[in-house]
Amino acid sequence: MATVTIHVTTRTGAQLALAAQAGRPLMEALRDEGLVEALCGGQAACATCHVHVDEPWMAIVGPAQRQEADMLDSSLEKRPNSRLSCQILAEQRLEGLALTIAPFEG
C-alpha cells in the first residue's frame, strides 16, 4: 500500500508527520490519529475536518469546489487557504504537504 507523507500542525501546535494512504482522503489519516472529528464521514457536509493548507501548497492542492466552499463559508475560521481534508486525496504530488488543523468551532 503506497503512502504519502503529510506534515501536520495540530490545534495545540505540535508538529507531526503522518502517512496517508494514497488514493484516500487526507481526512482518514487525520481522523485515525484523533486530530479531526470527521462527523459526516467525508461528504463535505460538515466542517469538522477543516484544515489550513500551507500557502506554498495551495497551487498544488487547488481551491475548494462549490459544495466544499459553501460548507467552509459557515466557518468562523475560514481563510483563503481553507480546505476540508475529506476533499483532498492523498496523491504522490502531495508528498510532503504541510497543513494546520483549523481551530475547533464546536
Side-chain angles (χ1 to χ4, degrees):
M1 158 179 28
T3 61
V4 175
T5 301
I6 59 172
H7 300 280
V8 180
T9 301
T10 70
R11 290 181 177 126
T12 62
Q15 303 277 323
L16 304 172
L18 299 180
Q21 185 177 349
R24 306 292 299 169
L26 295 181
M27 172 272 295
E28 292 179 4
L30 298 173
R31 179 197 58 208
D32 292 350
E33 289 294 321
L35 300 174
V36 298
E37 292 74 27
L39 295 176
C40 74
Q43 302 301 309
C46 72
T48 60
C49 70
H50 182 185
V51 298
H52 298 137
V53 175
D54 282 17
E55 287 297 335
W57 285 95
M58 280 304 293
I60 297 168
V61 173
Q65 298 300 308
R66 184 173 178 206
Q67 180 182 357
E68 177 185 0
D70 288 348
M71 182 52 56
L72 286 166
D73 281 343
S74 67
S75 173
L76 298 174
E77 298 296 334
K78 181 183 176 190
R79 298 182 184 164
N81 61 332
S82 286
R83 290 294 309 269
L84 297 179
S85 61
C86 66
Q87 300 301 300
I88 305 171
L89 291 181
E91 301 172 310
Q92 278 309 123
R93 67 190 183 97
L94 298 181
E95 178 66 33
L97 172 70
L99 57 83
T100 301
I101 307 297
F104 184 70
E105 293 188 55

